[in-house]
């Protein structure tokens, strides 16, 4: 599938790549562009929704090929399946699905008309003819339902029940998932005959949000806009080392308990850093200095956010520090619940004490 369908024909002339999100234009630097496209890295293909707003916020991308492979392996499409893809993007994954489904059908939805038009041009040039729709993928597309497989290429905070309704019993839903605190879960759900869907997290991914579920702080300076006056604060000290709290699985688990809190880390000289947390009304920050026995915490607002973070971290440690992949989600008509160690007799993950 991958050998027969390279991603190069689906990448636009201008991309942003690398740790510094450097702009690369095929017309002025074709070698750098070709090298970026050939590398196993994500490529930003649109910023600021295609406007000249100047924020340089990534709003569409081509995922790194190894991640595309992982997601398609988790989806496990068969040759005769009916597949719904949410987020056409460049069209490359749409082409890969079309290559795999020799007797099946691919329907792909893209919310951005300009991105959709570029994908359509690339797909038709490659002799692929999936059903391409411009619209809101969160609603699914009931006209071509039911689907054997459903895959999303944008992150969601809640799995829309429309996706479950439009997928056949035994069908698979693969989607990036997250919340304000952490967006790193790749979720694989299997739809049951009772109208529910359940499954575990199967990997570490980082996708852009569905446009209607974006962060409330996008386009705003975290310190200066979200936190307008850092001088108005309560000051105390903690002996809790902030470094392990930032590690991958701890960060995910804390996010399950504090889904409305966002955080940013700013690095200084040496190994110093400061992490800021905010919910739009309350905020907290902690400063890490190598060799220190205690760390300064600054806070403001009605919530004691740092105490909540410490409580969430300790709750996760008390559970034996389970990794992300030990957690999962069940989706019903009434909403979604998060569990640990399987949906039967599941341990509900709720807000930390004091939240």
């Amino acid at each position: 599938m991958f050998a027969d369908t390279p991603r190069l024909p689906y990448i636009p002339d201008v991309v942003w790549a690398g740790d510094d999100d450097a702009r690369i234009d095929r017309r002025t630097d074709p070698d750098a562009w070709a090298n970026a496209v050939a590398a196993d890295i994500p490529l930003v293909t649109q910023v600021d929704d295609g406007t000249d707003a100047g924020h340089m916020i990534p709003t569409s991308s081509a995922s790194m090929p190894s991640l595309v492979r992982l997601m398609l392996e988790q989806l496990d499409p068969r040759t005769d399946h009916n597949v719904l893809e949410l987020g056409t993007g460049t069209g490359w994954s749409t082409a890969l699905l079309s290559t795999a489904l020799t007797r099946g059908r691919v329907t792909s939805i893209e919310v951005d008309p300009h991105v959709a038009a570029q994908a359509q041009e690339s797909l038709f040039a490659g002799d692929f003819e999936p059903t391409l729709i411009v619209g809101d993928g969160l609603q699914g597309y009931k006209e071509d339902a039911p689907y054997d497989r459903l895959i999303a290429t944008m992150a969601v905070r809640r799995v829309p029940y429309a996706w479950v309704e439009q997928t056949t019993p035994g069908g698979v839903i693969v989607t990036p998932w997250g919340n304000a605190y952490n967006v790193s879960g790749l979720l694989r759900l299997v739809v049951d005959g009772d109208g529910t869907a359940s499954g575990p997290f199967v990997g570490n991914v980082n996708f852009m949000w569905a446009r209607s579920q974006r962060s409330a702080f996008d386009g705003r300076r975290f310190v200066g806009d979200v936190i307008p006056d850092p001088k108005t604060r309560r000051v105390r000290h903690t002996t809790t080392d902030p470094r392990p709290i930032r590690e991958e699985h701890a960060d995910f688990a804390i996010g399950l308990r504090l889904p409305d809190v966002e955080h940013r880390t700013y690095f200084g000289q040496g190994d110093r850093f400061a992490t800021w947390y905010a919910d739009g009304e309350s905020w907290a920050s902690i400063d890490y200095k190598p060799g220190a026995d205690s760390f300064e915490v600054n806070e403001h607002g009605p919530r004691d956010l740092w105490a909540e973070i410490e409580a969430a971290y300790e709750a996760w440690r008390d559970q034996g520090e389970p990794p992300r992949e030990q957690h999962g989600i069940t989706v019903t008509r009434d909403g979604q619940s998060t569990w640990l160690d399987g949906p039967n007799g599941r341990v509900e993950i709720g807000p930390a004490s004091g939240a």
Side-chain angles (χ1 to χ4, degrees):
M1 179 196 315
F2 281 80
D4 295 336
T5 314
R7 76 168 176 170
L8 186 146
Y10 300 90
I11 306 302
D13 287 340
V14 175
V15 298
W16 291 260
D19 294 337
D20 57 354
D21 287 331
R23 186 180 187 273
I24 305 173
D25 192 324
R26 183 182 195 177
R27 294 157 295 192
T28 58
D29 197 344
D31 290 340
W33 183 90
N35 289 336
V37 173
D40 188 25
I41 59 173
L43 302 173
V44 174
T45 55
Q46 184 196 68
V47 296
D48 298 336
D49 294 330
T51 71
D52 56 359
H55 300 305
M56 298 303 295
I57 297 173
T59 51
S60 192
S61 68
S63 299
M64 57 196 301
S66 59
L67 179 54
V68 173
R69 182 185 294 273
L70 169 65
M71 293 181 68
L72 292 180
E73 287 174 348
Q74 292 295 333
L75 188 68
D76 190 25
R78 308 298 169 85
T79 57
D80 59 348
H81 276 167
N82 186 20
V83 177
L84 177 62
E85 178 189 44
L86 309 172
T88 311
T90 65
W92 182 48
S93 60
T94 317
L96 289 168
L97 285 168
S98 298
T99 300
L101 304 182
T102 56
R103 301 189 307 276
R105 179 175 59 190
V106 180
T107 301
S108 187
I109 303 176
E110 172 57 49
V111 70
D112 187 299
H114 180 67
V115 171
Q118 287 186 319
Q120 176 176 292
E121 181 179 344
S122 299
L123 285 161
F124 287 2
D127 292 328
F128 296 111
E129 296 184 357
T131 300
L132 300 177
I133 306 296
V134 177
D136 184 359
L138 296 181
Q139 305 303 317
Y141 189 68
K142 63 183 180 180
E143 285 80 353
D144 286 350
Y147 302 98
D148 302 288
R149 298 290 189 268
L150 185 152
I151 185 169
T153 63
M154 73 286 191
V156 296
R157 299 169 191 264
R158 304 190 70 82
V159 177
Y161 190 69
W163 295 2
V164 179
E165 287 183 308
Q166 294 174 24
T167 304
T168 59
V172 174
I173 298 172
V174 173
T175 182
W177 183 94
N179 49 49
Y181 195 95
N182 179 285
V183 53
S184 70
L186 180 62
L187 184 62
R188 185 183 193 272
L189 303 172
V190 176
V191 176
D192 202 344
D194 62 0
T196 66
S198 189
F201 292 98
V202 293
N204 179 5
V205 301
N206 188 354
F207 273 75
M208 299 170 192
W209 289 109
R211 293 200 175 181
S212 62
Q213 296 189 9
R214 286 173 173 168
S215 165
F217 301 150
D218 275 357
R220 301 170 62 189
R221 295 175 302 161
F222 205 69
V223 180
D225 292 336
V226 176
I227 301 167
D229 187 4
K231 296 180 180 178
T232 306
R233 65 191 188 277
R234 306 182 296 271
V235 181
R236 61 186 176 91
H237 287 78
T238 180
T239 58
T240 301
D241 189 331
R243 290 175 298 175
I245 287 175
R246 295 181 57 250
E247 293 178 358
E248 176 184 344
H249 298 291
D251 195 79
F252 176 82
I254 293 169
L256 295 179
R257 295 167 171 85
L258 299 176
D260 62 330
V261 177
E262 292 200 31
H263 61 94
R264 301 284 189 278
T265 297
Y266 302 92
F267 295 93
Q269 293 182 343
D271 293 328
R272 294 188 177 198
F273 66 83
T275 301
W276 293 73
Y277 305 86
D279 69 357
E281 186 176 10
S282 299
W283 62 264
S285 70
I286 183 166
D287 295 318
Y288 173 77
K289 297 179 181 180
D293 295 325
S294 66
F295 309 96
E296 183 175 290
V297 176
N298 293 274
E299 296 180 300
H300 177 78
R303 294 174 67 178
D304 188 346
L305 285 182
W306 180 249
E308 293 183 33
I309 290 160
E310 288 181 311
Y313 176 63
E314 288 304 320
W316 172 71
R317 293 191 65 190
D318 288 345
Q319 291 173 332
E321 302 185 5
R324 176 196 303 102
E325 291 75 16
Q326 215 168 315
H327 299 82
I329 283 181
T330 295
V331 182
T332 70
R333 187 177 298 275
D334 297 325
Q336 68 181 21
S337 57
T338 311
W339 43 258
L340 173 67
D341 290 332
N344 296 325
R346 62 178 177 262
V347 177
E348 295 287 355
I349 305 298
S353 175

